[in-house]
Amino acid sequence: MFELPKLDYSKSALSPIMSEQTLDLHHGKHHQTYITNLNNFIKSSDYEKLSLEEIIKKSSTEKKAGIFNNASQHWNHIQFWKCMKPNGGGKIPSKLEDRIKNDFGSFEKFREDFINAGTTQFGSGWCWLSIKDDKLIVTKTPNAENPLINDMKPILGCDVWEHSYYLDYKNKRPVYLENFFDKLINWDFVDSNL
Ligand code: MN3
């Protein structure tokens, strides 16, 4: 049985960049619903004993959409909450900065690529910084999809489903992404995923 993880910060701690109301709904309702659905789907099946990552890969291969969508969204949100912290953004650890400069040319280029990926994801989905073949890469995915199924290791993800920003930013997804990037990202957590 999977359970809703506690946040490392209070629900008002990211305000006004991400409001308490958004976190209440997003963490307490949306994320909880994915977990409830996932638990119901895998109950008494051969998925029940697997780890979350194993469930994601197996359900993707077997095209079990109900299991995949809810398992992948559970993984995505666990990481998303950890990718943020109060007074985030700012200086990034030098090991991560060096790799970003090496693989994107500059930190600014990486920032632009990441925000652009989130902005251009048509409809619901995610934008990511992942490791693929030992290189950092920015991608976007639709709906619940996680880069894990394409042999990438996501180290930073941003939720661009409307439930993630509509209360705070209405239709202005790019403004949400800029604020997420500049004021919320927990770079120490991203660095720890390298
Ligand atoms: Mn979400």
Side-chain angles (χ1 to χ4, degrees), residues 50 61 69 108 124 190:
L50 302 178
T61 307
N69 287 333
E108 268 312 301
S124 295
V190 180

Side-chain angles (χ1 to χ4, degrees), residues 4-5 7 11 22-29 31-32 81:
L4 186 67
L7 298 174
K11 288 207 170 130
T22 290
L23 274 174
D24 242 355
L25 285 164
H26 197 175
H27 177 263
K29 306 288 183 200
H31 189 176
Q32 179 61 62
W81 309 132

Side-chain angles (χ1 to χ4, degrees), residues 64-121:
K64 297 249 167 76
I67 297 177
F68 175 76
N69 287 333
N70 289 287
S72 196
Q73 282 292 72
H74 181 32
W75 195 104
N76 295 348
H77 285 86
I78 292 170
Q79 196 194 52
F80 182 57
W81 309 132
K82 289 192 172 295
C83 283
M84 299 186 287
K85 67 170 190 180
N87 304 308
K91 183 102 185 76
I92 70 170
S94 55
K95 182 178 63 161
L96 177 62
E97 189 175 27
D98 288 347
R99 289 201 55 170
I100 286 173
K101 282 182 177 162
N102 193 56
D103 293 341
F104 293 93
S106 67
F107 184 76
E108 268 312 301
K109 177 70 168 68
F110 158 63
R111 180 182 179 277
E112 188 185 314
D113 286 359
F114 187 84
I115 291 170
N116 189 47
T119 302
T120 57
Q121 168 52 39

Side-chain angles (χ1 to χ4, degrees), residues 50-67:
L50 302 178
S51 72
L52 185 58
E53 292 194 6
E54 288 167 338
I55 292 173
I56 290 169
K57 287 177 180 167
K58 181 175 163 73
S59 60
S60 169
T61 307
E62 295 179 349
K63 307 217 179 305
K64 297 249 167 76
I67 297 177

Side-chain angles (χ1 to χ4, degrees), residues 26 30 34 73 77 126 159 161 163-164:
H26 197 175
H30 288 276
Y34 298 128
Q73 282 292 72
H77 285 86
W126 296 77
D159 190 338
W161 286 55
H163 64 224
S164 194

